[in-house]
Amino acid sequence: MIEIRGLAKRLGRRQVLQGLDLDVRAGETLVVLGPSGTGKSVLLKHIIGLMKPDAGSIRIDGEEIVGLSEEQLNPVRRRFGMLFQGAALLDSLTVGENVALAMQEHARGLDEAEVRRRVIERLEWVGLQAAAALKPASLSGGMRKRVGLARALAMDPEYVLYDEPTTGLDPITADVINQLIRGMQKQLHVTSVVVTHDIKSAYTVADRIVLLYQGRVMFDGTPEETRRTDDAMMRQFIEGSSQGPIQPV
Amino acid sequence: MASGVTPDDIALKGVRYASGRLGDSLAGVGRAATMMLEATQVSLRRPPSVRLIAQQMGAIGVDSLWLVIVVSLFTGAVAAVQAAYQLTSVVPLKYLSGVILRSVVIELGPVLTALVIGGRVGASMAAELGTMKVTEQIDALRAMGISPMRHLVAPRVLAAIIMLPVLTIYADAIAIFGGYVVAVVVVNVPSPIYLQGLREFFEMKDLLSGLVKAVFFGSIIGMMGCYHGFETEGGAEGVGRATTMAVVSSCVLILILDYILASVLFRIIFA
Ligand SMILES: Nc1ncnc2c1ncn2[C@@H]1O[C@H](COP(=O)(O)OP(=O)(O)O)[C@@H](O)[C@H]1O
Ligand SMILES: [Mg+2]
């Protein structure tokens, strides 16, 4: 369980997070919606300790992570997998080496054959087993995203943070990824936070949907509640209208 | 002076600007040193992989060897021409090789090697790490619980510290050879005399002090390359800025440190 209380973060001249409260319950898949530039990626980076908040608290299974040093954060981070918005693959390494990296670093007991087997398995999940020997530079944006996803799932994480997992994918591949996220939750009981703009993806994977705007959670409900809501902001977002309480930038 | 601005005001502004820049630079050196301390601590707890260090050593050697060869060959040649010009009719020419030897081994070899490598390797480190920073690759490592200090910084700094003395030995040998060619072919010093001078004037402590310098210069190059890479903000433009900063700051620091080391090494340790 992730409990976020009063999270505040100023970046440059913008107060990006303004006392945000949010719980992610054990085993659920929470979808975070919100217009571009609201701070969705910033929120994920706080959860995994890549950014330090100006104020507020983040507890992972009861353990406060705000104020921990890099070294102290490492054991916490090992329980997480994160898919970055831009994939963030190490471009000096091949696709396979990217997926293997954390295993080689943290599970030195694993022999080479086992690492290889797990790398291929993860790549099969995202439909890229043939790409293991390629360098990230030779992949399309959507393929890089999927490699990033394979890498995020490499260490059998308890928590997975997905930053726009289906952005830049064709609808068919997007559905493969949606099913994968769904499967992580159903079969492996992974707790997930999925940041997305893709309403279809949100309805497919979510147990719960929140809307982030102006640094706070503005709506919180199940997919069914979201469909039927008359909350003006949520309606505007679902319908994709430039008219409404959310100001287009 | 209609606006009431006096030359004094302008001078004051200039001093403030210059001291501000100096303050910024000193603060930068401080932060870079803090980063080195952190990388050392992390690496003592668990050493960086030998494979990564070897990879970086290879990159430095391959990147720079031909440059070092060309630069030191001509450095030796110029040293010979200069020394011949200054010594002729003052002292016997048998001292020529001694002068070349000492200036190369103590000063020219380590400093020019460091400046060349500071340009070549410092820039490529800053560019590579800067790109990794702005594309969130460094954050990705952190998110996987992999310390960028151990995985990226320590191998680069260690490789630079190991490779600088190695390349300096090459540079010394090649420069002395360059000097030999000029001395024998152009200045007409008989070859046996040149070689005898080398033997007479060679001192182990000169060579050692040059190599000690090289170790320090190597750490500066690695440190500035990594620090400016990690500090990179704002896309491709930021990477360009980081690259320039890495080269400029390592060259300036190398020359400043050379002065300090020259004083310390020769007055105190090797006195
Ligand atoms: N490292 C940073 N430095 C300064 N500003 C940042 C940084 N990261 C994000 N921001 C700003 O924070 C805001 C939220 O960014 P982000 O979380 O990426 O939005 P999104 O909701 O689209 O993921 C944006 O205005 C962005 O410019
Ligand atoms: Mg984002």
Side-chain angles (χ1 to χ4, degrees):
Chain A
M1 168 142 190
I2 304 173
E3 296 156 283
I4 303 170
R5 292 289 173 277
L7 200 66
K9 180 69 172 178
R10 189 182 188 83
L11 284 164
R13 268 174 294 137
R14 271 198 62 196
Q15 190 66 42
V16 178
L17 301 178
Q18 319 197 7
L20 176 138
D21 297 321
L22 181 65
D23 283 346
V24 187
R25 296 167 204 139
E28 80 172 343
T29 299
L30 174 76
V31 165
V32 177
L33 298 175
S36 289
T38 340
K40 304 184 297 296
S41 300
V42 166
L43 172 63
L44 293 188
K45 286 178 190 166
H46 278 88
I47 295 176
I48 200 166
L50 293 175
M51 284 185 165
K52 315 273 178 228
D54 301 329
S57 140
I58 301 171
R59 289 170 181 279
I60 312 290
D61 294 334
E63 186 193 356
E64 179 63 57
I65 65 155
V66 173
L68 293 188
S69 69
E70 268 312 271
E71 204 71 17
Q72 292 167 322
L73 277 167
N74 279 341
V76 181
R77 285 173 179 162
R78 267 174 234 172
R79 301 165 57 198
F80 277 81
M82 175 154 180
L83 167 62
F84 284 77
Q85 186 168 353
L89 304 179
L90 301 190
D91 44 30
S92 61
L93 304 180
T94 65
V95 163
E97 288 165 344
N98 264 283
V99 181
L101 193 59
M103 290 183 229
Q104 285 159 346
E105 176 82 10
H106 299 310
R108 292 198 165 172
L110 287 183
D111 61 32
E112 293 236 347
E114 174 63 11
V115 170
R116 228 183 348 259
R117 191 193 65 73
R118 288 173 63 157
V119 167
I120 295 301
E121 183 185 69
R122 300 303 186 275
L123 288 174
E124 276 168 358
W125 289 352
V126 297
L128 283 175
Q129 59 278 19
L134 300 179
K135 282 284 177 76
S138 62
L139 304 181
S140 72
M143 289 165 88
R144 297 164 66 95
K145 227 15 183 312
R146 284 144 70 197
V147 175
L149 184 53
R151 186 177 69 181
L153 303 179
M155 296 292 287
D156 299 323
E158 299 164 48
Y159 292 94
V160 186
L161 310 177
Y162 303 87
D163 201 342
E164 304 195 12
T166 57
T167 302
L169 300 185
D170 65 85
I172 297 163
T173 313
D175 193 54
V176 172
I177 299 305
N178 288 335
Q179 298 311 323
L180 180 64
I181 295 172
R182 202 80 208 122
M184 295 304 295
Q185 190 249 8
K186 283 267 182 300
Q187 279 128 45
L188 303 174
H189 309 290
V190 166
T191 306
S192 301
V193 181
V194 182
V195 163
T196 190
H197 298 291
D198 177 349
I199 303 292
K200 179 165 181 288
S201 170
Y203 283 144
T204 312
V205 303
D207 295 310
R208 198 153 62 88
I209 297 177
V210 298
L211 177 69
L212 196 68
Y213 185 56
Q214 293 185 334
R216 270 190 290 267
V217 171
M218 296 297 193
F219 175 91
D220 183 339
T222 64
E224 196 47 40
E225 287 164 351
T226 307
R227 272 198 192 87
R228 285 178 300 145
T229 185
D230 46 17
D231 178 273
M233 279 190 186
M234 198 67 216
R235 284 240 67 82
Q236 184 193 354
F237 199 84
I238 299 169
E239 285 159 11
S241 163
S242 60
Q243 308 299 317
I246 298 177
Q247 295 297 315
V249 265
Chain B
M1 291 295 148
S3 62
V5 179
T6 67
D8 279 356
D9 290 342
I10 295 171
L12 203 64
K13 248 189 182 155
V15 169
R16 271 208 208 104
Y17 176 75
S19 59
R21 289 301 288 264
L22 185 66
D24 287 351
S25 310
L26 286 178
V29 172
R31 282 194 300 273
T34 312
M35 181 173 160
M36 278 317 99
L37 211 63
E38 197 186 330
T40 311
Q41 277 171 352
V42 169
S43 304
L44 287 179
R45 226 165 293 152
R46 184 171 142 192
S49 102
V50 175
R51 193 180 52 83
L52 289 177
I53 301 171
Q55 215 172 16
Q56 291 302 322
M57 285 169 61
I60 295 174
V62 171
D63 261 12
S64 327
L65 191 56
W66 66 272
L67 251 179
V68 168
I69 290 174
V70 173
V71 168
S72 32
L73 194 64
F74 282 93
T75 302
V78 171
V81 172
Q82 278 295 321
Y85 172 70
Q86 290 175 19
L87 296 184
T88 312
S89 73
V90 181
V91 289
L93 275 179
K94 73 164 191 171
Y95 291 108
L96 185 64
S97 59
V99 171
I100 296 171
L101 174 74
R102 283 201 146 169
S103 55
V104 163
V105 166
I106 296 173
E107 202 52 49
L108 297 174
V111 172
L112 288 176
T113 305
L115 291 177
V116 167
I117 297 192
R120 189 80 176 79
V121 173
S124 74
M125 278 184 191
E128 185 188 9
L129 296 177
T131 305
M132 292 182 74
K133 171 81 191 300
V134 300
T135 55
E136 299 188 318
Q137 294 179 48
I138 293 178
D139 278 345
L141 283 174
R142 292 169 65 208
M144 286 188 272
I146 299 176
S147 160
M149 292 297 150
R150 171 165 45 233
H151 197 80
L152 299 173
V153 175
R156 281 169 176 74
V157 176
L158 277 175
I161 289 176
I162 297 168
M163 287 309 282
L164 251 278
V166 173
L167 289 169
T168 299
I169 291 177
Y170 276 96
D172 287 353
I174 293 162
I176 288 165
F177 171 74
Y180 171 83
V181 172
V182 170
V184 172
V185 176
V186 182
V187 193
N188 290 320
V189 180
S191 167
I193 302 266
Y194 187 91
L195 296 176
Q196 188 201 336
L198 289 184
R199 272 192 298 273
E200 261 175 42
F201 284 91
F202 177 79
E203 294 235 29
M204 202 54 188
K205 70 171 192 191
D206 292 347
L207 181 64
L208 281 181
S209 72
L211 296 183
V212 169
K213 282 183 181 178
V215 166
F216 281 95
F217 295 162
S219 64
I220 285 185
I221 293 168
M223 193 162 128
M224 287 297 123
C226 291
Y227 170 70
H228 288 290
F230 270 60
E231 288 281 289
T232 306
E233 300 279 355
E237 195 191 340
V239 174
R241 215 165 26 235
T243 309
T244 312
M245 287 299 294
V247 174
V248 171
S249 62
S250 60
C251 289
V252 170
L253 286 175
I254 283 166
L255 293 173
I256 294 175
L257 192 67
D258 184 42
Y259 170 75
I260 297 171
L261 286 175
S263 316
V264 174
L265 291 175
F266 289 98
R267 302 248 170 81
I268 302 162
I269 300 174
F270 291 109

PDB file of all heavy atoms in Angstrom, chain B residues 117-138:
ATOM      1  N   ILE B 117      44.115  15.032 -23.176  1.00  0.00           N
ATOM      2  CA  ILE B 117      43.097  14.060 -22.772  1.00  0.00           C
ATOM      3  C   ILE B 117      41.928  14.754 -22.085  1.00  0.00           C
ATOM      4  O   ILE B 117      40.774  14.341 -22.230  1.00  0.00           O
ATOM      5  CB  ILE B 117      43.735  12.986 -21.876  1.00  0.00           C
ATOM      6  CG1 ILE B 117      44.779  12.258 -22.704  1.00  0.00           C
ATOM      7  CG2 ILE B 117      42.684  12.022 -21.349  1.00  0.00           C
ATOM      8  CD1 ILE B 117      45.291  11.022 -22.111  1.00  0.00           C
ATOM      9  N   GLY B 118      42.239  15.827 -21.372  1.00  0.00           N
ATOM     10  CA  GLY B 118      41.151  16.603 -20.767  1.00  0.00           C
ATOM     11  C   GLY B 118      40.191  17.095 -21.835  1.00  0.00           C
ATOM     12  O   GLY B 118      38.981  17.104 -21.647  1.00  0.00           O
ATOM     13  N   GLY B 119      40.731  17.501 -22.974  1.00  0.00           N
ATOM     14  CA  GLY B 119      39.881  17.931 -24.074  1.00  0.00           C
ATOM     15  C   GLY B 119      39.111  16.764 -24.676  1.00  0.00           C
ATOM     16  O   GLY B 119      37.893  16.783 -24.771  1.00  0.00           O
ATOM     17  N   ARG B 120      39.846  15.738 -25.021  1.00  0.00           N
ATOM     18  CA  ARG B 120      39.233  14.630 -25.761  1.00  0.00           C
ATOM     19  C   ARG B 120      38.294  13.812 -24.872  1.00  0.00           C
ATOM     20  O   ARG B 120      37.114  13.656 -25.171  1.00  0.00           O
ATOM     21  CB  ARG B 120      40.377  13.761 -26.296  1.00  0.00           C
ATOM     22  CG  ARG B 120      39.975  12.690 -27.251  1.00  0.00           C
ATOM     23  CD  ARG B 120      39.767  13.282 -28.644  1.00  0.00           C
ATOM     24  NE  ARG B 120      39.457  12.224 -29.599  1.00  0.00           N
ATOM     25  CZ  ARG B 120      38.252  11.686 -29.710  1.00  0.00           C
ATOM     26  NH1 ARG B 120      37.286  12.093 -28.941  1.00  0.00           N
ATOM     27  NH2 ARG B 120      38.034  10.727 -30.593  1.00  0.00           N
ATOM     28  N   VAL B 121      38.828  13.308 -23.770  1.00  0.00           N
ATOM     29  CA  VAL B 121      38.077  12.376 -22.934  1.00  0.00           C
ATOM     30  C   VAL B 121      37.084  13.096 -22.029  1.00  0.00           C
ATOM     31  O   VAL B 121      35.939  12.659 -21.857  1.00  0.00           O
ATOM     32  CB  VAL B 121      39.053  11.525 -22.092  1.00  0.00           C
ATOM     33  CG1 VAL B 121      38.303  10.669 -21.103  1.00  0.00           C
ATOM     34  CG2 VAL B 121      39.917  10.674 -23.004  1.00  0.00           C
ATOM     35  N   GLY B 122      37.528  14.239 -21.464  1.00  0.00           N
ATOM     36  CA  GLY B 122      36.607  15.009 -20.618  1.00  0.00           C
ATOM     37  C   GLY B 122      35.347  15.373 -21.389  1.00  0.00           C
ATOM     38  O   GLY B 122      34.222  15.236 -20.887  1.00  0.00           O
ATOM     39  N   ALA B 123      35.525  15.789 -22.632  1.00  0.00           N
ATOM     40  CA  ALA B 123      34.372  16.162 -23.452  1.00  0.00           C
ATOM     41  C   ALA B 123      33.474  14.968 -23.718  1.00  0.00           C
ATOM     42  O   ALA B 123      32.252  15.056 -23.614  1.00  0.00           O
ATOM     43  CB  ALA B 123      34.849  16.771 -24.775  1.00  0.00           C
ATOM     44  N   SER B 124      34.067  13.835 -24.052  1.00  0.00           N
ATOM     45  CA  SER B 124      33.197  12.713 -24.413  1.00  0.00           C
ATOM     46  C   SER B 124      32.491  12.158 -23.180  1.00  0.00           C
ATOM     47  O   SER B 124      31.338  11.735 -23.266  1.00  0.00           O
ATOM     48  CB  SER B 124      33.956  11.641 -25.199  1.00  0.00           C
ATOM     49  OG  SER B 124      34.802  10.916 -24.369  1.00  0.00           O
ATOM     50  N   MET B 125      33.161  12.194 -22.027  1.00  0.00           N
ATOM     51  CA  MET B 125      32.473  11.777 -20.793  1.00  0.00           C
ATOM     52  C   MET B 125      31.283  12.685 -20.501  1.00  0.00           C
ATOM     53  O   MET B 125      30.176  12.230 -20.205  1.00  0.00           O
ATOM     54  CB  MET B 125      33.423  11.854 -19.591  1.00  0.00           C
ATOM     55  CG  MET B 125      34.336  10.681 -19.436  1.00  0.00           C
ATOM     56  SD  MET B 125      35.299  10.890 -17.920  1.00  0.00           S
ATOM     57  CE  MET B 125      36.495   9.583 -18.142  1.00  0.00           C
ATOM     58  N   ALA B 126      31.524  13.986 -20.561  1.00  0.00           N
ATOM     59  CA  ALA B 126      30.449  14.933 -20.233  1.00  0.00           C
ATOM     60  C   ALA B 126      29.297  14.792 -21.222  1.00  0.00           C
ATOM     61  O   ALA B 126      28.124  14.836 -20.842  1.00  0.00           O
ATOM     62  CB  ALA B 126      30.982  16.367 -20.229  1.00  0.00           C
ATOM     63  N   ALA B 127      29.636  14.593 -22.502  1.00  0.00           N
ATOM     64  CA  ALA B 127      28.574  14.476 -23.507  1.00  0.00           C
ATOM     65  C   ALA B 127      27.764  13.196 -23.291  1.00  0.00           C
ATOM     66  O   ALA B 127      26.527  13.215 -23.341  1.00  0.00           O
ATOM     67  CB  ALA B 127      29.183  14.482 -24.915  1.00  0.00           C
ATOM     68  N   GLU B 128      28.453  12.102 -23.022  1.00  0.00           N
ATOM     69  CA  GLU B 128      27.742  10.837 -22.845  1.00  0.00           C
ATOM     70  C   GLU B 128      26.859  10.877 -21.588  1.00  0.00           C
ATOM     71  O   GLU B 128      25.668  10.549 -21.631  1.00  0.00           O
ATOM     72  CB  GLU B 128      28.733   9.673 -22.746  1.00  0.00           C
ATOM     73  CG  GLU B 128      28.013   8.331 -22.694  1.00  0.00           C
ATOM     74  CD  GLU B 128      28.937   7.156 -22.408  1.00  0.00           C
ATOM     75  OE1 GLU B 128      30.115   7.380 -22.073  1.00  0.00           O
ATOM     76  OE2 GLU B 128      28.454   6.019 -22.505  1.00  0.00           O
ATOM     77  N   LEU B 129      27.464  11.310 -20.471  1.00  0.00           N
ATOM     78  CA  LEU B 129      26.688  11.335 -19.224  1.00  0.00           C
ATOM     79  C   LEU B 129      25.595  12.396 -19.275  1.00  0.00           C
ATOM     80  O   LEU B 129      24.505  12.203 -18.748  1.00  0.00           O
ATOM     81  CB  LEU B 129      27.613  11.577 -18.025  1.00  0.00           C
ATOM     82  CG  LEU B 129      28.641  10.468 -17.770  1.00  0.00           C
ATOM     83  CD1 LEU B 129      29.555  10.828 -16.614  1.00  0.00           C
ATOM     84  CD2 LEU B 129      27.953   9.135 -17.510  1.00  0.00           C
ATOM     85  N   GLY B 130      25.894  13.528 -19.942  1.00  0.00           N
ATOM     86  CA  GLY B 130      24.885  14.583 -20.072  1.00  0.00           C
ATOM     87  C   GLY B 130      23.679  14.088 -20.861  1.00  0.00           C
ATOM     88  O   GLY B 130      22.528  14.347 -20.501  1.00  0.00           O
ATOM     89  N   THR B 131      23.945  13.350 -21.933  1.00  0.00           N
ATOM     90  CA  THR B 131      22.843  12.778 -22.712  1.00  0.00           C
ATOM     91  C   THR B 131      22.057  11.785 -21.863  1.00  0.00           C
ATOM     92  O   THR B 131      20.821  11.763 -21.884  1.00  0.00           O
ATOM     93  CB  THR B 131      23.387  12.068 -23.965  1.00  0.00           C
ATOM     94  OG1 THR B 131      24.186  12.998 -24.693  1.00  0.00           O
ATOM     95  CG2 THR B 131      22.263  11.581 -24.858  1.00  0.00           C
ATOM     96  N   MET B 132      22.775  10.988 -21.085  1.00  0.00           N
ATOM     97  CA  MET B 132      22.084  10.026 -20.211  1.00  0.00           C
ATOM     98  C   MET B 132      21.233  10.737 -19.174  1.00  0.00           C
ATOM     99  O   MET B 132      20.158  10.279 -18.811  1.00  0.00           O
ATOM    100  CB  MET B 132      23.103   9.126 -19.493  1.00  0.00           C
ATOM    101  CG  MET B 132      23.824   8.186 -20.424  1.00  0.00           C
ATOM    102  SD  MET B 132      24.963   7.095 -19.547  1.00  0.00           S
ATOM    103  CE  MET B 132      23.806   5.949 -18.777  1.00  0.00           C
ATOM    104  N   LYS B 133      21.736  11.907 -18.709  1.00  0.00           N
ATOM    105  CA  LYS B 133      20.975  12.649 -17.716  1.00  0.00           C
ATOM    106  C   LYS B 133      19.680  13.185 -18.317  1.00  0.00           C
ATOM    107  O   LYS B 133      18.608  12.990 -17.766  1.00  0.00           O
ATOM    108  CB  LYS B 133      21.829  13.810 -17.187  1.00  0.00           C
ATOM    109  CG  LYS B 133      21.107  14.800 -16.294  1.00  0.00           C
ATOM    110  CD  LYS B 133      20.998  14.303 -14.863  1.00  0.00           C
ATOM    111  CE  LYS B 133      20.060  15.138 -14.010  1.00  0.00           C
ATOM    112  NZ  LYS B 133      20.447  16.541 -13.901  1.00  0.00           N
ATOM    113  N   VAL B 134      19.781  13.855 -19.482  1.00  0.00           N
ATOM    114  CA  VAL B 134      18.580  14.495 -20.021  1.00  0.00           C
ATOM    115  C   VAL B 134      17.594  13.493 -20.607  1.00  0.00           C
ATOM    116  O   VAL B 134      16.419  13.807 -20.763  1.00  0.00           O
ATOM    117  CB  VAL B 134      18.901  15.611 -21.057  1.00  0.00           C
ATOM    118  CG1 VAL B 134      19.741  16.706 -20.422  1.00  0.00           C
ATOM    119  CG2 VAL B 134      19.603  15.059 -22.280  1.00  0.00           C
ATOM    120  N   THR B 135      18.044  12.280 -20.925  1.00  0.00           N
ATOM    121  CA  THR B 135      17.098  11.265 -21.405  1.00  0.00           C
ATOM    122  C   THR B 135      16.675  10.327 -20.275  1.00  0.00           C
ATOM    123  O   THR B 135      16.137   9.250 -20.526  1.00  0.00           O
ATOM    124  CB  THR B 135      17.690  10.436 -22.557  1.00  0.00           C
ATOM    125  OG1 THR B 135      18.930   9.871 -22.108  1.00  0.00           O
ATOM    126  CG2 THR B 135      17.956  11.291 -23.781  1.00  0.00           C
ATOM    127  N   GLU B 136      16.935  10.727 -19.054  1.00  0.00           N
ATOM    128  CA  GLU B 136      16.501  10.009 -17.838  1.00  0.00           C
ATOM    129  C   GLU B 136      17.124   8.635 -17.675  1.00  0.00           C
ATOM    130  O   GLU B 136      16.642   7.816 -16.904  1.00  0.00           O
ATOM    131  CB  GLU B 136      14.958   9.894 -17.801  1.00  0.00           C
ATOM    132  CG  GLU B 136      14.281  11.249 -17.783  1.00  0.00           C
ATOM    133  CD  GLU B 136      12.780  11.154 -17.553  1.00  0.00           C
ATOM    134  OE1 GLU B 136      12.154  10.256 -18.140  1.00  0.00           O
ATOM    135  OE2 GLU B 136      12.252  11.973 -16.787  1.00  0.00           O
ATOM    136  N   GLN B 137      18.229   8.368 -18.390  1.00  0.00           N
ATOM    137  CA  GLN B 137      18.871   7.059 -18.216  1.00  0.00           C
ATOM    138  C   GLN B 137      19.489   6.936 -16.825  1.00  0.00           C
ATOM    139  O   GLN B 137      19.534   5.847 -16.254  1.00  0.00           O
ATOM    140  CB  GLN B 137      19.950   6.858 -19.278  1.00  0.00           C
ATOM    141  CG  GLN B 137      19.385   6.768 -20.690  1.00  0.00           C
ATOM    142  CD  GLN B 137      20.476   6.595 -21.725  1.00  0.00           C
ATOM    143  OE1 GLN B 137      21.357   5.771 -21.592  1.00  0.00           O
ATOM    144  NE2 GLN B 137      20.414   7.388 -22.789  1.00  0.00           N
ATOM    145  N   ILE B 138      19.971   8.074 -16.293  1.00  0.00           N
ATOM    146  CA  ILE B 138      20.560   8.032 -14.954  1.00  0.00           C
ATOM    147  C   ILE B 138      19.464   7.792 -13.910  1.00  0.00           C
ATOM    148  O   ILE B 138      19.635   6.995 -12.985  1.00  0.00           O
ATOM    149  CB  ILE B 138      21.364   9.325 -14.684  1.00  0.00           C
ATOM    150  CG1 ILE B 138      22.586   9.341 -15.611  1.00  0.00           C
ATOM    151  CG2 ILE B 138      21.785   9.416 -13.220  1.00  0.00           C
ATOM    152  CD1 ILE B 138      23.455  10.574 -15.510  1.00  0.00           C
TER     153      ILE B 138
END
